Amino acid sequence: MKMMYQPPALVQKLFPEFIWHSTTKKILVTFDDGPNPSSTGKILETLKEENIQALFFCVGNNLSRYPQLAKLIVAENHLLGNHTYNHTIVTKLGKDAFAQEIISTNHEVEAVAGSLPKYFRPPRGRFSFHLARALKDYTMKNVMWSLLPYDYKNDLKVVKFAVKNYLTKNAIVVLHDSDKSAPIICDAIKYLADEARSNNFQFGTPEECLS
Ligand SMILES: [Zn+2]
């Protein structure tokens, strides 16, 4: 199983404006796909216990269905990002359809957070030049990741293996705020926090890690 998301060097050169690692020597924790009734609340509790501030790449449709959960995320001083409205693979979209995914999700974020999101993450990490250009129109930055511990496979052993072997001091870690990872997500966060501590790594806020 490929544990670390390592795009070819050429891809990183083609998209230099995309963010692949934390820009400081601190770990950024991100959660994709929420908010979600079976996972968001317990994720927030665990983040509070571990004193971690995270970036939640939310799906617009979920923000619209669960605004109270989104408000809880904001109230706990985490940041909301845009993960499309319908969890769409954006490379398949035309310019107008892509714009619709961005704008409608930004609107949902603004409704709960009071300001527009600055960061975007494409579902499944799929992107294109067309996406890169369009994001500039919205002055948003594309945030990729350096470590994907496959929490959605719902097997804590897999998460531990990935974190133990691939966590770096400037990692951007992607976890999931979804039904699939809900059974193990709290233990996954705690393991990540323990590993970071035992390596003397620090967690950063989204602002610190993406400046
Ligand atoms: Zn996703």
Side-chain angles (χ1 to χ4, degrees), residues 32-33 83 87 123:
D32 286 4
D33 301 348
H83 195 48
H87 206 262

Side-chain angles (χ1 to χ4, degrees), residues 1-7 30-33 124 145-164 166 172-185 188-189 192:
M1 187 188 289
K2 192 179 169 209
M3 283 297 180
M4 190 143 176
Y5 187 76
Q6 283 180 309
T30 67
F31 291 89
D32 286 4
D33 301 348
R124 306 211 189 143
W145 60 84
S146 63
L147 176 56
L148 169 68
Y150 294 101
D151 55 313
Y152 54 85
K153 292 187 185 287
N154 192 19
D155 182 344
L156 192 61
K157 288 197 297 291
V158 172
V159 174
K160 287 183 173 181
F161 179 86
V163 170
K164 180 110 197 137
Y166 296 107
I172 296 180
V173 183
V174 54
L175 296 166
H176 292 80
D177 184 2
S178 70
D179 288 345
K180 286 182 196 164
S181 64
I184 63 157
I185 193 63
I189 296 165
L192 175 65

Side-chain angles (χ1 to χ4, degrees), residues 28-32 44 47 52-58 63 70 72-82 109 112-113 115-120 143 177 204-210:
L28 174 63
V29 182
T30 67
F31 291 89
D32 286 4
L44 292 176
L47 291 176
I52 296 171
Q53 278 180 267
L55 175 46
F56 285 75
F57 284 101
C58 293
L63 290 170
L72 277 181
I73 296 172
V74 174
E76 296 285 338
N77 287 320
H78 304 290
L79 197 65
L80 301 182
N82 184 325
V109 169
V112 293
S115 58
L116 290 167
K118 289 188 274 186
Y119 304 108
F120 176 77
V143 179
D177 184 2
T205 65
E207 290 83 358
E208 283 177 312
C209 295
L210 299 173

Side-chain angles (χ1 to χ4, degrees), residues 8-107:
L10 180 62
V11 178
Q12 290 196 37
K13 275 187 188 148
L14 288 174
F15 297 100
E17 67 273 44
F18 290 1
I19 300 168
W20 305 89
H21 289 91
S22 172
T23 52
T24 185
K25 288 174 184 169
K26 290 183 179 179
I27 298 165
L28 174 63
V29 182
T30 67
F31 291 89
D32 286 4
D33 301 348
N36 177 55
S38 73
S39 50
T40 304
K42 60 185 184 181
I43 287 172
L44 292 176
E45 277 175 35
T46 309
L47 291 176
K48 191 177 222 167
E49 285 166 22
E50 300 293 350
N51 196 22
I52 296 171
Q53 278 180 267
L55 175 46
F56 285 75
F57 284 101
C58 293
V59 173
N61 188 38
N62 289 345
L63 290 170
S64 152
R65 288 162 74 190
Y66 310 115
Q68 294 309 321
L69 286 177
K71 283 178 185 164
L72 277 181
I73 296 172
V74 174
E76 296 285 338
N77 287 320
H78 304 290
L79 197 65
L80 301 182
N82 184 325
H83 195 48
T84 75
Y85 198 87
N86 297 296
H87 206 262
T88 310
I89 307 298
V90 289
T91 50
K92 293 175 180 169
L93 300 179
K95 195 165 186 274
D96 290 347
F98 177 67
Q100 198 51 48
E101 290 281 337
I102 295 291
I103 292 166
S104 54
T105 305
N106 281 0
H107 179 78

